Amino acid sequence: MSTALQPSANPDVLVIGAGAAGIAATRALIEAGVCVTLIEVRDRVGGRAFTNTQACEWPIDMGAGWLHSADRNPLVRVANAEGFEIDRSAPPWQKPMLDKRFPVAEQKRFRAAQAAFYERVESAAREPADQPAVLLLEDDNRWNAMIDAVSTYVNGTELDRLSVKDFDNYHDTEVNYRIERGYGSLFERLARPLPIVLGCRATAIDHSGKTLRVETSRGTMTARAVIVAVPTNLIASEAIRFSPQLPDKHNAAAHLPLGHDNKLFLALDVADEFAPDSRLWGARDTVATGSYHLRPFGRPLIEAYFGGRLARDLEKHGLEGFGHFAIEQLASVLGSGVRKRLKPLAVSSWSSDPFAGGAYSHALPGHWDKRALLAAPVENRLFFAGEACSPHDFSTVHGAWQTGLAAAEDARRALAAPV
């Protein structure tokens, strides 16, 4: 796929959404010899995997940044094949924090409490009924706020909106790698030869006739099969209308909302006093706290993580609001002198992004089964892909990638089947 292919207005398969799932599906269909066109509403590819190369001299991932479950993640092989160097050093959250206010002995107590909570989740998930994960916190446990805060980073939501059964279904090997040139940069490379139309918004899919008709901002396109690889919030809000309607899809997507997660990058002057790839918490007695990754890749930067309701609320105030919150928290830990050494560079606002509406999906309590319903094909010609469709790797880029490959294979088989 070295030479870019030209898109067709009437392909055999039309793929909607050029995130990881859509790119994977398109590549697989081309390799199978299928005529395919990929359309994307943005003026770039990658979706929530986006590498910002403008904010500073280093590439910074504003969304996805880690190759999770890297020992079985297919994108490790893909990145290597494309010449992207993989960083295999341990992530900051697997190291002791260098915080005098939070001694190593206390950190061990927190980790023990967190592990006990996860054991209760695993046990509760085997029960017939689902429940909100918050019910598994112990009364008056001093570590409850931190355990809940971790959920906002991992799931994009607090434990009161998290299905125990869905959370337990996530499979994580706890091996995590990074791409120094940026995760989003990898998808830019992977998409270069694809037959893609950027700035093309799909608004309706008519599946009432023999041929599927897709209304877009560039006119009507037709196809024998369509792969819908867009975030759940767009399906739930009917940003793409189906005719006839698909209420089961809307319902499934509505119960798999995207959580709130954002990153802020700050420049750090005189950074050498901090260990590369170390971490701090802004506070330990509240869920509403940032987690701060100091000197990622050894760079003079701080990568700050915000999740859940805090991330949602800070979005209202943009870069200035995120920057003020982060600098005040860091000053409370590192001393007031650090204020003049910090400069906000860039922040993501995924919940305010009209083409995302959030970070990644979580199942609401009682709705852990909705992932299979969302992923199920319709009439063997409408197929669905994306991280929310993954039964065990949801919220990850490789989960989205794998669902794109699966949807492509289903579409290929459908096209090859006797009429």
Side-chain angles (χ1 to χ4, degrees):
M1 275 190 276
S2 58
T3 303
L5 300 173
Q6 293 302 308
S8 168
N10 308 107
D12 288 328
V13 181
L14 180 67
V15 179
I16 302 174
I23 290 172
T26 304
R27 286 169 59 90
L29 288 166
I30 291 171
E31 291 173 1
V34 176
C35 178
V36 57
T37 293
L38 173 61
I39 64 173
E40 165 58 42
V41 64
R42 302 179 190 272
D43 60 1
R44 63 168 180 83
V45 301
R48 287 159 283 171
F50 168 55
T51 302
N52 184 332
T53 59
Q54 304 300 315
C56 61
E57 61 184 286
W58 302 278
I60 51 178
D61 278 320
M62 305 307 301
W66 291 90
L67 291 149
H68 295 300
S69 296
D71 50 342
R72 63 172 179 84
N73 187 326
L75 287 166
V76 173
R77 176 185 55 80
V78 172
N80 281 328
E82 294 292 331
F84 281 71
E85 185 175 349
I86 303 296
D87 179 86
R88 290 172 166 79
S89 57
W93 63 87
Q94 292 179 351
K95 304 175 184 177
M97 298 184 203
L98 303 179
D99 184 350
K100 294 180 181 179
R101 305 174 315 156
F102 196 15
V104 171
E106 286 288 271
Q107 294 180 42
K108 289 181 178 178
R109 294 186 182 98
F110 161 64
R111 291 187 183 278
Q114 186 181 42
F117 169 75
Y118 290 149
E119 288 176 3
R120 294 194 295 274
V121 167
E122 184 177 358
S123 178
R126 293 195 290 266
E127 297 296 325
D130 195 10
Q131 60 181 304
V134 70
L135 298 180
L136 300 178
L137 291 175
E138 295 177 322
D139 292 341
D140 300 322
N141 188 309
R142 62 184 292 212
W143 304 112
N144 282 349
M146 288 185 69
I147 293 171
D148 207 354
V150 170
S151 177
T152 69
Y153 311 134
V154 174
N155 303 298
T157 190
E158 289 78 4
L159 295 171
D160 61 337
R161 286 176 54 84
L162 185 66
S163 156
V164 162
K165 286 183 176 289
D166 188 61
F167 185 40
D168 186 65
N169 269 338
Y170 178 72
H171 291 178
D172 182 11
T173 69
E174 298 186 10
V175 178
N176 300 276
Y177 298 160
R178 290 176 295 177
I179 300 175
E180 190 166 355
R181 290 161 60 187
Y183 216 156
S185 296
L186 172 63
F187 286 97
E188 289 180 14
R189 170 72 65 84
L190 295 173
R192 283 178 189 171
L194 302 185
I196 181 170
V197 182
L198 296 175
C200 183
R201 183 170 190 165
T203 56
I205 301 173
D206 185 343
H207 58 108
S208 62
K210 184 177 180 180
T211 300
L212 297 171
R213 296 175 59 85
V214 179
E215 301 300 327
T216 81
S217 56
R218 300 287 188 92
T220 302
M221 304 179 74
T222 64
R224 294 169 60 194
V226 171
I227 296 175
V228 180
V230 302
T232 55
N233 286 11
L234 300 188
I235 296 175
S237 67
E238 298 189 60
I240 300 176
R241 302 184 310 277
F242 295 97
S243 179
Q245 294 184 349
L246 298 176
D248 288 348
K249 293 296 182 186
H250 297 145
N251 180 265
H255 288 98
L256 297 168
L258 301 189
H260 307 288
D261 271 293
N262 290 306
K263 289 183 184 179
L264 167 72
F265 285 87
L266 303 105
L268 173 62
D269 192 27
V270 193
D272 290 348
E273 69 174 281
F274 301 108
D277 291 312
S278 55
R279 185 172 66 128
L280 295 170
W281 282 62
R284 302 192 306 280
D285 58 354
T286 176
V287 181
T289 182
S291 176
Y292 301 93
H293 178 179
L294 308 181
R295 298 186 62 198
F297 297 107
R299 298 164 180 164
L301 301 172
I302 295 179
E303 185 176 8
Y305 295 81
F306 305 92
R309 298 179 183 106
L310 173 64
R312 178 199 62 193
D313 293 342
L314 286 175
E315 277 200 21
K316 301 172 185 176
H317 307 287
L319 179 62
E320 181 179 357
F322 276 102
H324 176 76
F325 184 92
I327 290 171
E328 290 306 305
Q329 279 210 319
L330 288 166
S332 73
V333 179
L334 301 174
S336 60
V338 79
R339 288 189 179 93
K340 61 185 179 182
R341 296 164 57 189
L342 296 171
K343 176 184 177 183
L345 297 174
V347 70
S348 62
S349 298
W350 293 113
S351 298
S352 304
D353 186 322
F355 308 129
Y360 31 76
S361 67
H362 62 276
L364 297 176
H367 298 282
W368 60 276
D369 57 341
K370 295 301 189 293
R371 296 193 188 279
L373 292 176
L374 181 64
V378 175
E379 301 164 354
N380 209 28
R381 57 189 188 142
L382 265 178
F383 304 92
F384 294 81
E387 55 85 14
C389 294
S390 175
H392 302 299
D393 294 307
F394 47 85
S395 80
T396 69
V397 178
H398 69 272
W401 179 269
Q402 290 167 322
T403 65
L405 297 179
E409 178 59 14
D410 287 344
R412 186 196 65 77
R413 288 180 179 177
L415 294 178
V419 178

